[in-house]
Amino acid sequence: MIFTDKHLEHLNAQFRGIPTEEIIAWALEYSRRPVLTTNFGPYSSSILHAVTEIKNDVPVIWCDTGYNTEATYRHAEEVMGQLDLNMKIYVPRQTRARREILIGQPSLDNPEHQQFTEEVKLEPFRRAMQEHRPDVWFTNIRKGQTALRDSLDILSINKEGILKVSPFYYWTDLELKGYLKQHQLPNEMDYFDPTKVLQHRECGIHL
């Protein structure tokens, strides 16, 4: 199906305020090759649970930069075990040890930061998408996170023509906490993305 701007606008107006499971079920019915991405950051277990409750074999793509906190790695293992996720883990082609010697972990104002982001996040993500060729991409982006994300909606089309589905787009932190509590899901707040550094900055995946 080809979605026009008008069609997306109509669907987004229709989907706002309805249960997340109805949005997810609609997208899964439309999709032939769905994927779900995660960084195992705050509230990530919400969408992992919501999607896999409806279709438990959806490929879950995690681009592990190698720079996550110890708490995030422990959280990832806990969630993977609890939800029995169909994990597809992608890592940089170059080891962290070698990169530390060559360019280290550049600051945002360092010209090498873009190379760093490309190596640890963007290239593995492109590789994942090329291998899975999804037509639907479930993501946990929400309104209020960044200026770019404020311009999107529950449904949006990325530059490759993939339908991005963000069932929790209008949910607040408080509402997500309630969801996690209701379904006895773990959460983890000690998360840091070295490619973004700043909370309201994009790394490039959603551009």
Side-chain angles (χ1 to χ4, degrees):
M1 178 185 292
I2 297 176
F3 294 94
T4 64
D5 289 344
K6 190 171 184 178
H7 193 193
L8 281 178
E9 184 179 350
H10 172 75
L11 286 171
N12 279 318
Q14 182 180 348
F15 286 168
R16 185 168 184 176
I18 74 170
T20 55
E21 57 265 29
E22 293 185 24
I23 299 170
I24 294 166
W26 172 88
L28 287 171
E29 185 176 349
Y30 155 78
S31 175
R32 293 183 180 181
R33 298 181 306 277
V35 298
L36 168 57
T37 59
T38 187
N39 57 14
F40 288 106
Y43 308 111
S44 60
S45 55
S46 57
I47 193 165
L48 294 169
H49 173 269
V51 173
T52 58
E53 273 286 284
I54 299 174
K55 183 174 173 58
N56 62 8
D57 62 347
V58 173
V60 178
I61 294 171
W62 179 28
C63 293
D64 175 11
T65 64
Y67 292 83
N68 289 293
T69 65
E70 180 179 336
T72 295
Y73 283 117
R74 294 187 183 282
H75 174 67
E77 292 299 317
E78 180 181 5
V79 175
M80 284 189 276
Q82 181 175 337
L83 300 181
D84 192 24
L85 301 174
N86 180 19
M87 292 301 304
K88 307 296 178 183
I89 302 175
Y90 290 79
V91 298
R93 295 189 185 278
Q94 186 182 85
T95 64
R96 174 172 175 171
R98 184 181 179 202
R99 189 178 309 103
E100 289 288 345
I101 292 172
L102 296 178
I103 64 172
Q105 193 172 330
S107 61
L108 278 179
D109 57 359
N110 187 324
E112 291 183 326
H113 188 271
Q114 181 56 43
Q115 176 188 343
F116 175 82
T117 300
E118 171 67 22
E119 288 184 7
V120 305
K121 179 72 76 68
L122 300 184
E123 187 282 325
F125 179 77
R126 284 198 304 271
R127 191 174 357 123
M129 289 304 202
Q130 287 165 3
E131 290 181 9
H132 290 275
R133 299 184 301 110
D135 53 1
V136 164
W137 168 15
F138 289 101
T139 177
N140 211 26
I141 64 172
R142 289 187 291 139
K143 188 175 179 62
Q145 290 179 325
T146 69
L148 172 68
R149 298 177 191 194
D150 284 349
S151 70
L152 303 176
D153 212 318
I154 296 169
L155 304 180
S156 60
I157 302 289
N158 79 346
K159 59 187 177 183
E160 284 78 28
I162 303 169
L163 179 66
K164 290 170 63 173
V165 183
S166 309
F168 293 100
Y169 183 77
Y170 289 103
W171 284 49
T172 64
D173 286 1
L174 187 61
E175 288 171 322
L176 284 178
K177 286 177 183 176
Y179 184 95
L180 299 184
K181 183 177 181 180
Q182 177 186 353
H183 297 285
Q184 298 182 312
L185 297 167
N187 198 18
E188 205 292 293
M189 303 300 289
D190 183 20
Y191 174 80
F192 177 71
D193 185 343
T195 66
K196 291 176 63 174
V197 183
L198 304 176
Q199 185 177 1
H200 295 288
R201 183 177 177 274
E202 291 286 347
C203 67
I205 281 179
H206 293 284
L207 296 178

